[in-house]
Amino acid sequence: MNDQPTATERFIQGILPENPTYRQLLGLCPTLAVTNGLKQALTMAGAVTVVLFCANIIVSLIRNLLKPHLRIVVFTLTIATFVTMVDRFLAAYMYQMSKALGPYIPLIIVNCIIICRCEVCASKQGLIASGADAIGQGIGFGLGLSSIAVVRELLGTGALAGVAVLPAAWPQWVIMVLPPGAFLTFGLLLGLINWIQQRRSVEG
Amino acid sequence: MESSSSPSAGGFKNSNLAQAWLVLLLALCFGSALAAVQVQLSDTIAANKLNETLAQVPALIWGKAPPPQNVQITPGTLNVKKDGQASSYTLYRVAQDNKTAGWVVKADGQGYGDKLELLIGTDADVKKITGLFVLEQKETPGLGNRISEPQWRNQFVGKSTAKPLEVVKDKSQGPATIDAITGATISSRSVTNIVNATIGNLRGRLDASGGQFTERSQP
Amino acid sequence: MSYLVDIFLIAITAALINNFVLYYFVGICPFIGVSRQVDMAVGMGAAVTFVMAIAVFLSWAITYFVLMPGALVTTWVGQFFVSPERAAHIDLTILTYIVYIFAIASSVQLVEMYVRKFYPPLYKSFGVFLPLITTNCAILFACLTVMSHIIGVENPGQIWDLGRALTLGVFGGLGFTIAIVIMAGIREELDMCDIPEPLKGAAITLIIGGILAMAFMGFTGVDNGIRVALGG
């Protein structure tokens, strides 16, 4: 019966080996949309982690009551509720950021990461493992988003989180903060990660 | 550990009725939680939205000078019927010691990328523009989005409303011209067009005594 | 005349200028996953457009008549519980996202039942995509865009009617279809190319998506020109 990963394993898996952005290729919509700035990327990652954590906890609490044909409804209801709460919270206490993130906060409801984790982990394991899984995946998602955001913001505006880093002489690659830049950056970084992974498996 | 998937076997717990009860119970709990969030946060959110505009008002009327004491800001609307089309402007009457010092009007229109939302400040008789602020824009970063920069916006301050403003590409040639941002002529023109259209609708309808301004009981 | 200009502009903007996939980044998962062959891509695009139209219709109707403050149905029902004065101020917008996602799930169910019953061969070819569409960001995004033109709009004269909402839904779906079909056409050619190992799969698709997005950037500002030309 205990062939399920432990809480620690869940936590560590989520950060790099099963990284939602680069390994699982889930939740790609916010990955491309909000990575034009480091602050936006981190806020989004935080929001997703909060929703994922709360949803995982609730689903884990009621996991023994769930039956196959209604579980998606339950997941969706739970996730939509927490996303609404996070959205309102941001609008109340981080108004400018809420405006910058716009429609991408409610789109967390259809973010494949959360439904996938509820399905794979929370509906089968206890509170601690589910919570650890949520935090691990959240950190992994944060790493994925930040890596893209750093490249885009630095090359596109010469600043990082709004603080100028590169000298003023840097010709800003405006394309980086526009849609094509998102696709290109993510595609190239994904290729890089794949290359590193392949080198590792050849050597190991 | 896993029970059968057939709904009739396994008794009450597996039945569809029990499942439906679970969903309903969850819906009720979540609904109450959301209602609590709504009650708690809705005022803060509405205030945020309003403050975004109100915070800009003093600078739009009095510029860099510190705002005087006893400022009253009254929200309201102005309904305009032109060419058979009715439109409504949200605006604020800014008064000092209950004497109208100026007006701040919210105007929107199409920019190069997406919609533009502006705040335009004028004096009491809509004879001069006293300020311009960009509330929302989705123009090209590095080019069009420089319309938010104070240096560019300051061109509008002090301009007379007698003639529509014109966008020119080199240094300003006259009192009624606006210097376009290099590489962002369309964004510059969009802002100027919105300003011209709005001022055109306001002139003659607003004055120091109020004109056609209708106060709103709730902001 | 001005209404038609408006509809035309909404259509062009949703399909080309602010393309859902290449500008707003919604619907990326099927864009990368289902764009290998042109006929599959067409099927997916058609399914998404169909579902989007129904979902937008449902969400517009529910938002306009039930959710927004002062909505007709809510005011009428509320009269039985509180004073008519207060009933006119009942604000159910906090339930928007939950209602939308269930409206979308219902639309998908409806379309699936309809296609399965009346077009069995069609169901066989792209019926497998239909349940996936529920988690497609593009549908929820279309509903949210419609919502933003109803709730929180200061000028009641600018609230979108059903015509504008449906235009956004249908042409947003068409834009999605255009993007995904172009990508499928390119990827069919890619099968014969020598792609470096690390880039195979999602990475090369994303890079091509970036170039496509660059191409579509050429449409920016077209609506401005059209608007000026039509004097709308």
Side-chain angles (χ1 to χ4, degrees), chain A residues 58 62 64-67 69-70 73-74 77-78 81 84-85 88-89 91-93 95-96 99 174 177-178, chain B residues 1 3 13-14 16 19-20 22-23 26-27 30 33-34 37-38 41 44-45 48-49 52 135-136 140-141:
Chain A
I58 299 279
I62 58 176
N64 289 322
L65 300 171
L66 291 174
K67 292 303 171 288
H69 45 280
L70 273 185
V73 170
V74 171
L77 187 60
T78 315
T81 306
T84 310
M85 288 192 205
R88 286 286 179 264
F89 183 82
Y93 297 116
Y95 186 65
Q96 289 304 327
K99 267 178 51 169
V174 176
V177 290
L178 295 175
Chain B
M1 185 182 167
S3 30
K13 192 167 181 225
N14 290 348
N16 284 335
Q19 287 300 294
L22 173 67
V23 176
L26 278 179
F30 288 147
L34 285 181
V37 166
Q38 166 86 332
L41 292 181
T44 321
I45 299 175
N48 279 342
K49 213 164 171 245
E52 206 189 12
L135 270 179
E136 266 191 53
T140 319

Side-chain angles (χ1 to χ4, degrees), chain C residues 2 28 39 53 56 68 84-85 88 99 117 140 149 165 172 176 182 187 202 216 224:
Chain C
S2 174
I28 295 286
D39 43 6
V56 162
M68 76 179 211
E85 245 270 321
V99 168
K117 184 142 201 253
L140 184 58
H149 286 277
F176 173 81
I182 295 179
R187 282 184 89 177
F216 269 66
N224 219 356

